[in-house]
Amino acid sequence: MYKIAIHSAKIADPDSRERQGIVYLCTMSKKVRVRFAPSPTGGLHLGGVRTVLYNYLFAKKHGGDFIVRIEDTDQSRYVPGAEEYIFDCLRWCGLEPDESVQHGGNVGPYRQSERKALYKKYAQQLIDQGHAYYAFDTPEELEQMREKNKTAENPSPQYDQHLRHKMRNSLTLTEAEVKNLLDQNTPHVIRIKMPEGKTLSFTDLIRGEVSFDTSTVDDKVLLKADGMPTYHLAVVVDDYLMKITHAFRGEEWLPSAPVHLLVWQYLFGWEHMPQWAHFPLILGPTGKLSKRDGAKYGFPVFAMNWKDPKSGELTEGFKEKGFLPEAFVNLLALLGWNEGTEKEVYAIDELINAFSMERVHSSGAKFDYEKAKWFNHEWIKKSSASRLLPFVRNQFEKANLIVADTDQLEKVIDLVKERCTLLSDFVEQSRFFFERPSQIDTASILSKWSPEKEAFFSSLIHYYEQTHQWTAQELEKILKDLALSQSLKVGELMLPLRIMLVGGKFGPGVFDIAALLGQQETLQRLVQAKQLILKGI
RNA sequence: GGCCCGUUCGUCUAAGGGCUAGGACACCACCCUUUCACGGUGGUGAUACGGGUUCGAAUCCCGUACGGGCUACCA
């Protein structure tokens, strides 16, 4: 149980200097409930996953519930498959919701489009209270208003206290006119009536006190002409109905916080309002991270591959790029938060244990792909071969590399994992264990070839044929003894041997390779390569 | 333009009045390694600027500059 202090909003009237601010301190223990509320309009990017993560960590840390609510109130932006995709991403990351469209729960439905009927009542309540009004302006009229009032100093005029009296709404029309328009089902929206000259403030868990002058905020639409709520109404109504105790979202929402504060106050009272926290943005090289940045700078932005059903455009995800979910979660956690120690590699349970909202930064963080790869490398190194196995098999499949022997594959994984930064690196790093190299870099051998070496490898093959101890140690001993007896430098023999076995200058220790390859395969490769060298190819 | 948020090495960050400003990534050098990695050692590199407050400021306050976000019947 997490003790929550509800005292996070105040309103002040500068004229009367009266702080009608109401500071509540609620020490009652209440089950923590947080939500992630994505709009199913496309791929789930880094910032979205990090928002999920921080919500999840906070909930789990305090024994609370993590809820996913689908914000699909904009029907024009509906993208088939996007909702399913979001849950797939969360599953891959291991961040399973406690309640959602897919997980059930008793404060549903968890899809806002299915809650449509609910919102109207609250919008009506605001009208009845005088805190909202009907507006009949058409999109064209709004456009005209913006054009007409646009000046150099004010490039984007707002539907606010200065202009609302010039528009067609229930504040300017007579009661009879409004009734008539309503009776005729004239398309209309419901707008909040922002009060004038009040200072609204609340305590953000990350930023401390944030305040706004209501005179600078416009009359946001709460209920759209199609009867759907906008985010501003839905977020408040649903957070209330779903008993959300802590509302966390990206910093891009901060400017509209005063609207939400007011709706909370009018509809439910601040004593029920969740505690707010606005996470810093994750920035790309040129500002707010976008999938375009990814395409431009060569790194993934989405959690998983996303194919836009309309354009068919495919955007690569971290999963398919070869990231381990543990690493992805780890690197995201550290982008905007740290424990205050020098620890950087965390498993999810360690994150849950160490996480605290107070240590989330208030400044934006630029995403660094190099560091992201480092996290993945660390996780590959520390993961067991059996953990890595399914991921590696998946990569092999994509590369048409079929390996039946699991034991052998696990041995290979252990041998090569320290040189794999991405899971996809396993293919090139271990292919030669299972397939003869298609290319042999004989040029590197030929440049220093000699009759002495020719003789050496002939006898090496002979001795390797004779031995019954096919171990790395034994193979090394045979080679060294032989080199000594023929007065050759070991160093000049290792590279040719390596190239004969793997095709190039890479891979783990050459005797480990030979040991794993087995006697028969090793000998065949040596014989074959030697023939190529003999022919001078 | 207005409003809001922010500002410590190139990047992620530590240090919430008292140190040569610490670590990690990246980069460079060396060691280890008869390949490539891993690992190890060292190096380059930061408190945006100007005023206060204080015996003492990266840290608190104010201003300036810069960066970012928002400014839809999108979320």
Side-chain angles (χ1 to χ4, degrees):
Chain A
M1 289 296 165
Y2 184 72
K3 293 208 170 142
I4 57 168
I6 299 180
H7 57 128
S8 50
K10 316 200 257 285
I11 189 164
D13 183 336
D15 296 323
S16 66
R17 301 196 59 78
E18 177 202 357
R19 293 250 183 230
Q20 39 164 270
I22 310 145
V23 175
Y24 285 93
L25 199 65
C26 170
T27 48
M28 221 168 40
S29 288
K30 215 164 144 187
K31 188 168 198 193
V32 165
R33 287 172 64 78
V34 302
R35 83 296 191 269
F36 174 60
S39 176
T41 53
L44 181 64
H45 67 88
L46 278 180
V49 180
R50 195 196 56 181
T51 299
V52 174
L53 216 211
Y54 287 0
N55 269 285
Y56 180 90
L57 294 176
F58 184 85
K60 296 305 149 193
K61 168 114 191 172
H62 300 293
D65 296 325
F66 168 53
I67 293 131
V68 171
R69 178 173 72 218
I70 301 295
E71 308 237 344
D72 58 346
T73 54
D74 186 355
Q75 293 160 330
S76 67
R77 294 212 307 163
Y78 173 75
V79 177
E83 181 184 306
E84 186 71 30
Y85 164 90
I86 288 167
F87 286 103
D88 289 345
C89 289
L90 299 191
R91 197 161 299 123
W92 175 65
C93 293
L95 305 172
E96 284 290 335
D98 296 297
E99 296 170 28
S100 79
V101 174
Q102 293 194 356
H103 300 78
N106 46 28
V107 293
Y110 292 89
R111 203 179 275 120
Q112 287 181 331
S113 58
E114 293 169 17
R115 302 168 68 82
K116 183 176 175 184
L118 268 169
Y119 306 106
K120 191 173 181 163
K121 175 181 122 193
Y122 292 102
Q124 189 60 50
Q125 185 186 332
L126 290 168
I127 292 211
D128 296 344
Q129 292 170 335
H131 292 130
Y133 59 90
Y134 296 108
F136 300 93
D137 318 275
T138 63
E140 294 73 34
E141 286 169 333
L142 289 173
E143 184 52 36
Q144 273 173 32
M145 175 275 273
R146 291 198 182 97
E147 269 313 304
K148 205 175 123 192
N149 293 284
K150 200 175 193 174
T151 59
E153 298 85 56
N154 185 11
S156 35
Q158 306 216 294
Y159 202 120
D160 59 12
Q161 54 174 329
H162 305 292
L163 288 174
R164 67 164 80 107
H165 296 293
K166 297 178 182 168
M167 306 301 289
R168 285 202 317 134
N169 53 50
S170 57
L171 300 174
T172 59
L173 302 168
T174 67
E175 217 169 296
E177 285 172 320
V178 171
K179 184 174 186 305
N180 192 253
L181 285 167
L182 254 22
D183 288 346
Q184 288 174 27
N185 288 320
T186 311
H188 64 275
V189 301
I190 293 178
R191 287 180 181 271
I192 188 170
K193 186 181 175 193
M194 287 304 289
E196 292 171 32
K198 305 265 191 209
T199 299
L200 269 182
S201 66
F202 73 101
T203 304
D204 186 289
L205 256 23
I206 293 169
R207 290 152 211 280
E209 180 165 313
V210 181
S211 54
F212 305 85
D213 178 352
T214 56
S215 303
T216 65
V217 183
D218 61 332
D219 293 351
K220 291 270 185 254
V221 170
L222 298 178
L223 201 72
K224 301 187 266 191
D226 63 3
M228 280 288 192
T230 59
Y231 175 84
H232 308 298
L233 211 217
V235 70
V236 174
V237 169
D238 287 342
D239 280 353
Y240 173 76
L241 262 15
M242 294 181 173
K243 302 181 166 61
I244 300 304
T245 58
H246 297 78
F248 306 141
R249 64 213 324 186
E251 188 185 348
E252 70 270 28
W253 289 107
L254 210 38
S256 56
V259 179
H260 310 144
L261 248 32
L262 241 26
V263 176
W264 263 105
Q265 187 197 13
Y266 297 151
L267 250 22
F268 310 116
W270 281 333
E271 63 272 28
H272 299 293
M273 188 169 73
Q275 298 260 280
W276 295 100
H278 292 85
F279 300 144
L281 261 16
I282 295 179
L283 307 167
T286 55
K288 198 178 175 179
L289 190 67
S290 75
K291 66 174 185 176
R292 304 189 73 101
D293 287 325
K296 196 167 168 189
Y297 301 99
F299 57 79
V301 169
F302 291 158
M304 292 175 28
N305 273 7
W306 168 251
K307 187 173 182 181
D308 187 285
K310 247 186 180 157
S311 65
E313 182 197 2
L314 182 78
T315 309
E316 192 179 35
F318 279 86
K319 179 187 174 203
E320 290 80 3
K321 185 76 183 177
F323 278 78
L324 237 25
E326 297 92 319
F328 185 53
V329 163
N330 190 167
L331 74 92
L332 249 23
L334 273 283
L335 208 54
W337 168 86
N338 82 79
E339 196 186 353
T341 65
E342 285 175 2
K343 186 174 165 73
E344 289 194 281
V345 178
Y346 287 85
I348 187 73
D349 53 326
E350 294 176 309
L351 286 173
I352 291 170
N353 192 41
F355 188 78
S356 77
M357 203 52 73
E358 290 71 27
R359 289 200 66 93
V360 173
H361 291 196
S362 49
S363 51
K366 205 172 281 180
F367 175 66
D368 180 3
Y369 188 47
E370 292 307 316
K371 183 91 186 217
K373 285 192 291 190
W374 175 80
F375 273 109
N376 204 48
H377 193 188
E378 290 301 306
W379 271 98
I380 286 178
K381 281 189 291 177
K382 79 178 283 212
S383 296
S384 67
S386 59
R387 169 65 185 153
L388 259 11
L389 187 70
F391 295 101
V392 173
R393 275 204 186 283
N394 180 267
Q395 293 292 332
F396 276 20
E397 246 167 69
K398 281 200 246 173
N400 288 318
L401 186 57
I402 312 299
V403 176
D405 189 342
T406 297
D407 284 350
Q408 178 81 348
L409 182 50
E410 289 196 357
K411 281 180 193 156
V412 169
I413 289 173
D414 271 329
L415 219 45
V416 305
K417 66 183 185 185
E418 69 191 23
R419 57 207 85 201
C420 294
T421 299
L422 297 171
L423 291 166
S424 50
D425 294 337
F426 275 99
V427 175
E428 285 321 303
Q429 286 296 330
S430 47
R431 171 163 238 139
F432 63 84
F433 280 103
F434 307 103
E435 287 177 356
R436 298 242 171 111
S438 54
Q439 288 273 318
I440 296 204
D441 180 13
T442 46
S444 296
I445 301 178
L446 283 167
S447 60
K448 292 185 178 171
W449 198 241
S450 64
E452 289 75 22
K453 285 185 184 171
E454 166 66 31
F456 173 86
F457 278 98
S458 292
S459 14
L460 185 69
I461 289 170
H462 174 74
Y463 282 108
Y464 276 4
E465 272 169 348
Q466 300 305 310
T467 184
H468 295 294
Q469 275 179 277
W470 196 259
T471 64
Q473 295 78 357
E474 181 61 17
L475 298 177
E476 181 169 1
K477 186 174 182 299
I478 291 172
L479 181 137
K480 286 189 171 167
D481 289 350
L482 190 59
L484 194 65
S485 72
Q486 301 193 359
S487 303
L488 283 166
K489 283 183 190 162
V490 174
E492 289 177 20
L493 303 166
M494 298 289 277
L495 194 65
L497 176 62
R498 165 177 298 281
I499 294 173
M500 288 183 203
L501 292 182
V502 316
K505 304 177 196 172
F506 62 95
V510 68
F511 299 109
D512 289 326
I513 293 171
L516 221 48
L517 242 27
Q519 191 162 22
Q520 194 188 356
E521 179 65 20
T522 301
L523 287 167
Q524 282 176 6
R525 288 190 189 189
L526 290 180
V527 169
Q528 234 172 50
K530 211 159 120 326
Q531 282 167 353
L532 285 176
I533 292 163
L534 220 57
K535 288 189 219 153
I537 301 172

